[in-house]
Amino acid sequence: MNRPLHLLFDWGDTLMADLPAQQGSMWRWPEVRAMPGASETLAVLAARRPCHLATNAAESGGDEVRRALARVGLDGLIGHVFCRRELGLAKSDPAFYRRIAAELGVAPGALWMIGDSLAHDVQSARAAGLHAVWLNPARLPVPAGVTAIAALPELIGLLPD
């Protein structure tokens, strides 16, 4: 591989369960949990590629996201944490992803975004020039041209060597 490939993961309902009954910043919730396969998948991928987090969460900054990740043992597997609150851009804006690419010092095409929102994690990322993978555990119909997985471990086989 002649260029670095970085992975960006969504936070809520991709790496960690977004529990609707909970309120406020996730790191303060009485209960937090990783999504199925998140720990094992990140352990394999982080050994091969830089893994980062990109979240649209408005209530949490990077430090709070890291505290939540630490509660489920994922913090050490994530490099940078990019938050809507700190970037001043929403994930629906392709500029969100272009800013991340610039901060990482890579071309947008060297980033893969993985997330559960077809609109924010896939379509917006693709509009910015990233590769994108839709985490689609409900197995909803997949639009033409979209790469989808039903579970995080499937991502391991999709990445180029």
Side-chain angles (χ1 to χ4, degrees):
M1 186 169 65
N2 53 8
R3 65 180 179 169
L5 176 65
H6 292 251
L7 304 177
L8 293 173
F9 289 88
D10 174 54
W11 184 28
D13 287 337
T14 299
L15 290 183
M16 293 185 68
D18 191 357
L19 305 173
Q22 304 294 331
Q23 301 209 0
S25 294
M26 187 185 291
W27 75 274
R28 293 184 176 180
W29 293 358
E31 176 191 357
V32 293
R33 61 179 177 248
M35 291 295 289
S39 181
E40 300 82 2
T41 301
L42 274 178
V44 169
L45 295 177
R48 295 173 34 194
R49 313 258 184 229
C51 294
H52 312 287
L53 187 141
T55 180
N56 210 33
E59 291 187 16
S60 298
D63 289 341
E64 290 130 340
V65 170
R66 285 205 177 276
R67 287 183 195 134
L69 290 168
R71 289 183 61 195
V72 295
L74 298 179
D75 182 45
L77 300 171
I78 295 294
H80 296 277
V81 174
F82 299 98
C83 298
R84 170 186 178 170
R85 187 171 91 182
E86 293 162 349
L87 292 177
L89 295 162
K91 284 168 81 176
S92 58
D93 185 345
F96 176 91
Y97 295 102
R98 288 192 291 270
R99 172 91 53 85
I100 291 171
E103 288 194 23
L104 290 172
V106 300
L111 292 170
W112 281 43
M113 178 64 198
I114 301 95
D116 68 304
S117 170
L118 183 60
H120 297 145
D121 298 323
V122 176
Q123 293 168 337
S124 184
R126 288 177 63 183
L130 281 68
H131 299 275
V133 177
W134 183 27
L135 178 60
N136 179 14
R139 300 179 192 269
L140 299 172
V142 179
V146 170
T147 301
I149 57 176
L152 282 173
E154 294 174 42
L155 182 62
I156 296 167
L158 287 180
L159 295 174
D161 290 326

